[in-house]
mmCIF file of all heavy atoms in Angstrom:
data_model
loop_
_atom_site.group_PDB
_atom_site.id
_atom_site.type_symbol
_atom_site.label_atom_id
_atom_site.label_comp_id
_atom_site.label_asym_id
_atom_site.label_seq_id
_atom_site.Cartn_x
_atom_site.Cartn_y
_atom_site.Cartn_z
ATOM 1 N N LEU A 50 26.196 -3.689 -32.697
ATOM 2 C CA LEU A 50 26.020 -3.245 -31.261
ATOM 3 C C LEU A 50 25.723 -4.439 -30.376
ATOM 4 O O LEU A 50 26.342 -4.572 -29.281
ATOM 5 C CB LEU A 50 24.853 -2.232 -31.200
ATOM 6 C CG LEU A 50 24.551 -1.732 -29.745
ATOM 7 C CD1 LEU A 50 25.788 -1.087 -29.122
ATOM 8 C CD2 LEU A 50 23.375 -0.800 -29.739
ATOM 9 N N SER A 51 24.879 -5.305 -30.825
ATOM 10 C CA SER A 51 24.558 -6.493 -30.067
ATOM 11 C C SER A 51 25.814 -7.333 -29.844
ATOM 12 O O SER A 51 26.106 -7.766 -28.689
ATOM 13 C CB SER A 51 23.485 -7.239 -30.825
ATOM 14 O OG SER A 51 23.303 -8.509 -30.351
ATOM 15 N N GLU A 52 26.612 -7.529 -30.878
ATOM 16 C CA GLU A 52 27.889 -8.227 -30.740
ATOM 17 C C GLU A 52 28.828 -7.547 -29.763
ATOM 18 O O GLU A 52 29.502 -8.211 -28.950
ATOM 19 C CB GLU A 52 28.633 -8.321 -32.078
ATOM 20 C CG GLU A 52 28.215 -9.505 -32.908
ATOM 21 C CD GLU A 52 28.804 -9.437 -34.342
ATOM 22 O OE1 GLU A 52 29.989 -9.019 -34.460
ATOM 23 O OE2 GLU A 52 28.036 -9.724 -35.300
ATOM 24 N N ALA A 53 28.902 -6.225 -29.806
ATOM 25 C CA ALA A 53 29.772 -5.498 -28.916
ATOM 26 C C ALA A 53 29.347 -5.696 -27.462
ATOM 27 O O ALA A 53 30.204 -5.952 -26.572
ATOM 28 C CB ALA A 53 29.810 -3.996 -29.222
ATOM 29 N N VAL A 54 28.070 -5.619 -27.198
ATOM 30 C CA VAL A 54 27.554 -5.765 -25.819
ATOM 31 C C VAL A 54 27.793 -7.185 -25.364
ATOM 32 O O VAL A 54 28.308 -7.469 -24.267
ATOM 33 C CB VAL A 54 26.069 -5.340 -25.732
ATOM 34 C CG1 VAL A 54 25.522 -5.683 -24.371
ATOM 35 C CG2 VAL A 54 25.936 -3.852 -26.074
ATOM 36 N N GLN A 55 27.373 -8.146 -26.210
ATOM 37 C CA GLN A 55 27.522 -9.597 -25.833
ATOM 38 C C GLN A 55 29.010 -9.977 -25.719
ATOM 39 O O GLN A 55 29.374 -10.846 -24.956
ATOM 40 C CB GLN A 55 26.861 -10.514 -26.820
ATOM 41 C CG GLN A 55 25.332 -10.277 -27.033
ATOM 42 C CD GLN A 55 24.536 -10.547 -25.758
ATOM 43 O OE1 GLN A 55 24.986 -11.268 -24.894
ATOM 44 N NE2 GLN A 55 23.371 -9.866 -25.640
ATOM 45 N N GLY A 56 29.849 -9.316 -26.509
ATOM 46 C CA GLY A 56 31.254 -9.620 -26.523
ATOM 47 C C GLY A 56 32.014 -8.911 -25.423
ATOM 48 O O GLY A 56 33.258 -8.862 -25.473
ATOM 49 N N ASN A 57 31.343 -8.342 -24.461
ATOM 50 C CA ASN A 57 31.928 -7.766 -23.257
ATOM 51 C C ASN A 57 32.727 -6.483 -23.556
ATOM 52 O O ASN A 57 33.722 -6.185 -22.870
ATOM 53 C CB ASN A 57 32.783 -8.781 -22.536
ATOM 54 C CG ASN A 57 32.975 -8.410 -21.081
ATOM 55 O OD1 ASN A 57 32.196 -7.628 -20.558
ATOM 56 N ND2 ASN A 57 34.025 -8.943 -20.476
ATOM 57 N N HIS A 58 32.300 -5.701 -24.552
ATOM 58 C CA HIS A 58 32.917 -4.394 -24.737
ATOM 59 C C HIS A 58 32.102 -3.344 -23.994
ATOM 60 O O HIS A 58 31.431 -2.482 -24.568
ATOM 61 C CB HIS A 58 32.972 -4.070 -26.247
ATOM 62 C CG HIS A 58 33.865 -4.974 -26.988
ATOM 63 N ND1 HIS A 58 35.235 -4.847 -27.048
ATOM 64 C CD2 HIS A 58 33.622 -6.061 -27.750
ATOM 65 C CE1 HIS A 58 35.782 -5.829 -27.732
ATOM 66 N NE2 HIS A 58 34.806 -6.549 -28.205
ATOM 67 N N ASN A 59 32.108 -3.508 -22.688
ATOM 68 C CA ASN A 59 31.165 -2.710 -21.864
ATOM 69 C C ASN A 59 31.867 -1.862 -20.793
ATOM 70 O O ASN A 59 31.177 -1.296 -19.922
ATOM 71 C CB ASN A 59 30.174 -3.667 -21.177
ATOM 72 C CG ASN A 59 29.308 -4.364 -22.219
ATOM 73 O OD1 ASN A 59 28.740 -3.730 -23.044
ATOM 74 N ND2 ASN A 59 29.290 -5.665 -22.146
ATOM 75 N N GLN A 60 33.172 -1.748 -20.873
ATOM 76 C CA GLN A 60 33.880 -1.021 -19.813
ATOM 77 C C GLN A 60 34.396 0.340 -20.403
ATOM 78 O O GLN A 60 34.317 0.606 -21.597
ATOM 79 C CB GLN A 60 35.044 -1.870 -19.258
ATOM 80 C CG GLN A 60 34.642 -3.234 -18.807
ATOM 81 C CD GLN A 60 33.414 -3.243 -17.839
ATOM 82 O OE1 GLN A 60 33.220 -2.248 -17.126
ATOM 83 N NE2 GLN A 60 32.653 -4.273 -17.895
ATOM 84 N N TYR A 61 34.966 1.175 -19.474
ATOM 85 C CA TYR A 61 35.489 2.476 -19.924
ATOM 86 C C TYR A 61 36.405 2.279 -21.171
ATOM 87 O O TYR A 61 37.237 1.379 -21.225
ATOM 88 C CB TYR A 61 36.456 3.029 -18.843
ATOM 89 C CG TYR A 61 35.786 3.428 -17.562
ATOM 90 C CD1 TYR A 61 36.300 2.928 -16.362
ATOM 91 C CD2 TYR A 61 34.726 4.302 -17.515
ATOM 92 C CE1 TYR A 61 35.768 3.312 -15.141
ATOM 93 C CE2 TYR A 61 34.179 4.698 -16.297
ATOM 94 C CZ TYR A 61 34.713 4.194 -15.126
ATOM 95 O OH TYR A 61 34.134 4.589 -13.956
ATOM 96 N N GLY A 62 36.235 3.209 -22.077
ATOM 97 C CA GLY A 62 37.214 3.264 -23.215
ATOM 98 C C GLY A 62 38.231 4.320 -23.010
ATOM 99 O O GLY A 62 38.259 4.897 -21.888
ATOM 100 N N LEU A 63 38.986 4.629 -24.036
ATOM 101 C CA LEU A 63 39.974 5.686 -23.912
ATOM 102 C C LEU A 63 39.266 7.073 -23.973
ATOM 103 O O LEU A 63 38.291 7.240 -24.688
ATOM 104 C CB LEU A 63 40.960 5.662 -25.067
ATOM 105 C CG LEU A 63 41.801 4.365 -25.145
ATOM 106 C CD1 LEU A 63 42.556 4.298 -26.482
ATOM 107 C CD2 LEU A 63 42.774 4.354 -23.980
ATOM 108 N N PRO A 64 39.761 8.065 -23.228
ATOM 109 C CA PRO A 64 39.102 9.373 -23.244
ATOM 110 C C PRO A 64 39.042 9.977 -24.692
ATOM 111 O O PRO A 64 38.089 10.676 -25.012
ATOM 112 C CB PRO A 64 39.931 10.282 -22.344
ATOM 113 C CG PRO A 64 40.675 9.324 -21.447
ATOM 114 C CD PRO A 64 40.834 8.038 -22.234
ATOM 115 N N GLU A 65 40.025 9.686 -25.480
ATOM 116 C CA GLU A 65 40.023 10.247 -26.844
ATOM 117 C C GLU A 65 39.106 9.464 -27.802
ATOM 118 O O GLU A 65 38.845 9.868 -28.937
ATOM 119 C CB GLU A 65 41.422 10.313 -27.441
ATOM 120 C CG GLU A 65 42.147 8.988 -27.588
ATOM 121 C CD GLU A 65 42.983 8.542 -26.371
ATOM 122 O OE1 GLU A 65 42.565 8.967 -25.234
ATOM 123 O OE2 GLU A 65 43.948 7.857 -26.543
ATOM 124 N N GLY A 66 38.586 8.330 -27.348
ATOM 125 C CA GLY A 66 37.678 7.530 -28.134
ATOM 126 C C GLY A 66 38.353 6.314 -28.756
ATOM 127 O O GLY A 66 39.595 6.187 -28.781
ATOM 128 N N SER A 67 37.512 5.444 -29.266
ATOM 129 C CA SER A 67 38.001 4.193 -29.887
ATOM 130 C C SER A 67 38.949 4.484 -31.040
ATOM 131 O O SER A 67 38.677 5.272 -31.917
ATOM 132 C CB SER A 67 36.762 3.414 -30.395
ATOM 133 O OG SER A 67 37.022 2.820 -31.623
ATOM 134 N N GLU A 68 40.093 3.773 -31.007
ATOM 135 C CA GLU A 68 41.094 4.048 -32.044
ATOM 136 C C GLU A 68 40.546 3.633 -33.431
ATOM 137 O O GLU A 68 40.725 4.360 -34.398
ATOM 138 C CB GLU A 68 42.340 3.192 -31.761
ATOM 139 C CG GLU A 68 43.504 3.630 -32.631
ATOM 140 C CD GLU A 68 44.753 2.808 -32.371
ATOM 141 O OE1 GLU A 68 44.820 2.120 -31.302
ATOM 142 O OE2 GLU A 68 45.629 2.849 -33.224
ATOM 143 N N THR A 69 39.840 2.534 -33.499
ATOM 144 C CA THR A 69 39.308 2.144 -34.816
ATOM 145 C C THR A 69 38.300 3.142 -35.312
ATOM 146 O O THR A 69 38.219 3.446 -36.534
ATOM 147 C CB THR A 69 38.720 0.715 -34.834
ATOM 148 O OG1 THR A 69 38.002 0.502 -33.618
ATOM 149 C CG2 THR A 69 39.703 -0.341 -35.014
ATOM 150 N N LEU A 70 37.490 3.655 -34.429
ATOM 151 C CA LEU A 70 36.481 4.664 -34.873
ATOM 152 C C LEU A 70 37.175 5.928 -35.354
ATOM 153 O O LEU A 70 36.829 6.493 -36.356
ATOM 154 C CB LEU A 70 35.483 4.956 -33.757
ATOM 155 C CG LEU A 70 34.280 5.811 -34.216
ATOM 156 C CD1 LEU A 70 33.528 5.250 -35.386
ATOM 157 C CD2 LEU A 70 33.337 6.055 -33.023
ATOM 158 N N ARG A 71 38.174 6.354 -34.620
ATOM 159 C CA ARG A 71 38.926 7.546 -35.041
ATOM 160 C C ARG A 71 39.590 7.332 -36.397
ATOM 161 O O ARG A 71 39.587 8.232 -37.276
ATOM 162 C CB ARG A 71 39.968 7.941 -34.011
ATOM 163 C CG ARG A 71 39.344 8.640 -32.795
ATOM 164 C CD ARG A 71 40.323 9.012 -31.716
ATOM 165 N NE ARG A 71 40.753 7.902 -30.943
ATOM 166 C CZ ARG A 71 42.045 7.532 -30.758
ATOM 167 N NH1 ARG A 71 42.990 8.241 -31.369
ATOM 168 N NH2 ARG A 71 42.320 6.490 -30.067
ATOM 169 N N GLN A 72 40.087 6.076 -36.623
ATOM 170 C CA GLN A 72 40.710 5.799 -37.907
ATOM 171 C C GLN A 72 39.613 5.823 -39.016
ATOM 172 O O GLN A 72 39.850 6.276 -40.132
ATOM 173 C CB GLN A 72 41.376 4.451 -37.866
ATOM 174 C CG GLN A 72 42.776 4.560 -37.240
ATOM 175 C CD GLN A 72 43.370 3.274 -36.811
ATOM 176 O OE1 GLN A 72 42.687 2.212 -36.853
ATOM 177 N NE2 GLN A 72 44.598 3.316 -36.384
ATOM 178 N N SER A 73 38.404 5.332 -38.702
ATOM 179 C CA SER A 73 37.340 5.321 -39.747
ATOM 180 C C SER A 73 36.982 6.767 -40.068
ATOM 181 O O SER A 73 36.688 7.050 -41.259
ATOM 182 C CB SER A 73 36.087 4.626 -39.186
ATOM 183 O OG SER A 73 36.357 3.347 -38.803
ATOM 184 N N ILE A 74 36.960 7.651 -39.104
ATOM 185 C CA ILE A 74 36.655 9.036 -39.408
ATOM 186 C C ILE A 74 37.742 9.665 -40.247
ATOM 187 O O ILE A 74 37.497 10.388 -41.208
ATOM 188 C CB ILE A 74 36.413 9.794 -38.051
ATOM 189 C CG1 ILE A 74 35.154 9.320 -37.397
ATOM 190 C CG2 ILE A 74 36.300 11.329 -38.298
ATOM 191 C CD1 ILE A 74 34.956 9.769 -35.951
ATOM 192 N N ALA A 75 39.001 9.351 -39.876
ATOM 193 C CA ALA A 75 40.126 9.823 -40.695
ATOM 194 C C ALA A 75 39.958 9.372 -42.140
ATOM 195 O O ALA A 75 40.152 10.135 -43.089
ATOM 196 C CB ALA A 75 41.444 9.336 -40.146
ATOM 197 N N HIS A 76 39.528 8.141 -42.344
ATOM 198 C CA HIS A 76 39.366 7.561 -43.672
ATOM 199 C C HIS A 76 38.242 8.256 -44.390
ATOM 200 O O HIS A 76 38.328 8.606 -45.552
ATOM 201 C CB HIS A 76 39.070 6.037 -43.542
ATOM 202 C CG HIS A 76 39.019 5.395 -44.871
ATOM 203 N ND1 HIS A 76 37.837 5.108 -45.480
ATOM 204 C CD2 HIS A 76 39.994 4.980 -45.724
ATOM 205 C CE1 HIS A 76 38.055 4.582 -46.680
ATOM 206 N NE2 HIS A 76 39.385 4.498 -46.814
ATOM 207 N N MET A 77 37.154 8.595 -43.653
ATOM 208 C CA MET A 77 36.033 9.336 -44.272
ATOM 209 C C MET A 77 36.524 10.694 -44.808
ATOM 210 O O MET A 77 36.122 11.081 -45.944
ATOM 211 C CB MET A 77 34.912 9.498 -43.226
ATOM 212 C CG MET A 77 33.748 10.337 -43.721
ATOM 213 S SD MET A 77 32.256 10.177 -42.727
ATOM 214 C CE MET A 77 32.770 10.943 -41.190
ATOM 215 N N PHE A 78 37.290 11.417 -44.003
ATOM 216 C CA PHE A 78 37.765 12.739 -44.510
ATOM 217 C C PHE A 78 38.735 12.621 -45.654
ATOM 218 O O PHE A 78 38.690 13.477 -46.565
ATOM 219 C CB PHE A 78 38.305 13.555 -43.344
ATOM 220 C CG PHE A 78 37.261 14.325 -42.602
ATOM 221 C CD1 PHE A 78 36.335 13.677 -41.785
ATOM 222 C CD2 PHE A 78 37.113 15.696 -42.740
ATOM 223 C CE1 PHE A 78 35.308 14.342 -41.145
ATOM 224 C CE2 PHE A 78 36.088 16.434 -42.151
ATOM 225 C CZ PHE A 78 35.184 15.746 -41.364
#
Side-chain angles (χ1 to χ4, degrees):
L50 177 60
S51 166
E52 270 171 43
V54 173
Q55 300 298 337
N57 202 19
H58 294 281
N59 297 308
Q60 308 308 333
Y61 294 127
L63 297 169
E65 63 270 29
S67 138
E68 189 181 345
T69 38
L70 186 57
R71 283 180 285 123
Q72 279 164 352
S73 303
I74 293 167
H76 186 261
M77 174 166 67
F78 272 73

